[in-house]
Amino acid sequence: MFRQVCCGNQMVPLNPDNTGAETGCCEFADGTRVQYDSSKQTCCNGELTDLPEGERGLCCGGALFLTPSDGDSCCVNEDGIGEVFSSNGSVCCSGETGFGDGCCGGSPYFQQEGVCCGGENATVWDNEGMNQPSCCVNEVFDSYTQTCCGASVLENPLIANSEGIVNETSHHTRCCGHEHSSDDTLLPYDYFNSMCCGGIIYNVGIDGVEALSCCGNVTYDSVDEFCCDDEVFLAADYLLEDGKNVNCHAVFNPEPVEPIESEVVVVGEEVAEVEGDGAVQPGFE
């Protein structure tokens, strides 16, 4: 029975010798397509070529190369000319090959030897002696002992050691500053031992970080205080048990209490007052 196979959206005669995962389709210059065994042949620029034993075809820039003999990767320059290279130790950057495993600003480099910072105009920075090299806009810094705040590299603050002596460099930092001011106001703080409230750093210790909260640019303890509109109030002054889950509107805008209406009725010769609950209270003559 005559059998066909789909080859590039076109039905072509099925070659019974070419089945399985290593089949391919090749389109010739006249637009016709054929099926072929990609382990024995390769298609490049509209030509079907037999392969030497142990080689695979690599079509690069319209030219045929052999892999692994010529290389395993293709690099095409701006003129469309292809170059085959080995990806083990080399890389293609902006159409040119060079030694490295990454590209920085169009130039090859080894990522273990430097850090690429700067976006389009990137430069490779030496990271020798750094524990955690990172980028701060256009320069490299050690994020283990430094913090990038805005566009500035700042030294991490000192924190207390196990004996309470402040002589250890923090390795857990964030930036703190005023929301609408320049980056010059930003400073790093240790978020395990300090709090940032409204751009102000409070060194409250580990216990303080767990117990306190921010109210505007100050701290407060919700055990006996509460915060409304960035202002701290004592819970006891408002007959509250604590400062947790306080409804500020209810505290400062209480609903008016409707007065209980009553009416005067005459019972015999006594005057009685009937309250809203229906109870009759003796009046006076």
Side-chain angles (χ1 to χ4, degrees):
M1 185 176 72
F2 184 72
R3 300 177 63 187
Q4 292 181 305
V5 65
C6 181
C7 182
N9 294 324
Q10 179 178 318
M11 299 303 294
V12 300
L14 174 65
N15 186 337
D17 296 330
N18 299 337
T19 58
E22 294 194 298
T23 59
C25 293
C26 186
E27 182 177 356
F28 296 142
D30 60 2
T32 59
R33 296 178 176 87
V34 295
Q35 181 196 25
Y36 69 96
D37 186 343
S38 58
S39 66
K40 300 177 181 179
Q41 295 177 304
T42 188
C43 178
C44 184
N45 203 24
E47 294 184 5
L48 196 59
T49 304
D50 293 333
L51 294 173
E53 183 75 21
E55 297 282 2
R56 302 300 294 262
L58 179 60
C59 192
C60 180
L64 177 61
F65 296 88
L66 298 178
T67 182
S69 296
D70 297 325
D72 59 12
S73 301
C74 172
C75 184
V76 180
N77 63 20
E78 59 183 8
D79 296 323
I81 299 175
E83 178 185 359
V84 174
F85 66 98
S86 173
S87 59
N88 183 17
S90 297
V91 66
C92 175
C93 298
S94 300
E96 295 184 4
T97 60
F99 294 111
D101 56 10
C103 299
C104 181
S107 300
Y109 78 107
F110 286 102
Q111 299 178 56
Q112 288 186 343
E113 299 176 359
V115 179
C116 179
C117 300
E120 294 182 358
N121 300 317
T123 303
V124 177
W125 296 75
D126 185 11
N127 62 2
E128 184 177 358
M130 293 187 177
N131 292 292
Q132 296 176 359
S134 302
C135 290
C136 183
V137 189
N138 295 325
E139 63 177 311
V140 69
F141 73 103
D142 190 348
S143 61
Y144 190 67
T145 58
Q146 299 171 310
T147 302
C148 175
C149 292
S152 301
V153 176
L154 303 171
E155 298 298 321
N156 286 356
L158 296 178
I159 57 175
N161 61 17
S162 58
E163 299 178 354
I165 302 174
V166 181
N167 62 357
E168 290 188 357
T169 300
S170 169
H171 305 308
H172 308 92
T173 58
R174 297 188 180 108
C175 297
C176 179
H178 298 288
E179 181 178 358
H180 300 295
S181 59
S182 64
D183 291 344
D184 296 338
T185 67
L186 296 175
L187 293 173
Y189 71 99
D190 181 277
Y191 52 82
F192 283 141
N193 292 272
S194 305
M195 298 175 62
C196 175
C197 297
I200 300 176
I201 298 174
Y202 293 91
N203 298 316
V204 296
I206 295 177
D207 293 338
V209 171
E210 294 180 355
L212 301 177
S213 302
C214 286
C215 181
N217 58 3
V218 298
T219 64
Y220 76 100
D221 190 342
S222 61
V223 171
D224 51 21
E225 297 174 317
F226 66 95
C227 174
C228 287
D229 294 329
D230 293 341
E231 188 174 350
V232 178
F233 301 89
L234 285 173
D237 291 347
Y238 295 86
L239 305 180
L240 300 173
E241 293 183 1
D242 55 42
K244 300 176 181 178
N245 303 317
V246 173
N247 185 330
C248 294
H249 180 78
V251 171
F252 295 103
N253 300 280
E255 295 293 331
V257 178
E258 294 291 337
I260 299 175
E261 296 183 357
S262 62
E263 58 179 323
V264 177
V265 298
V266 177
V267 181
E269 295 182 356
E270 290 189 354
V271 177
E273 189 173 302
V274 180
E275 296 187 349
D277 58 1
V280 178
Q281 303 294 331
F284 56 88
E285 298 182 1

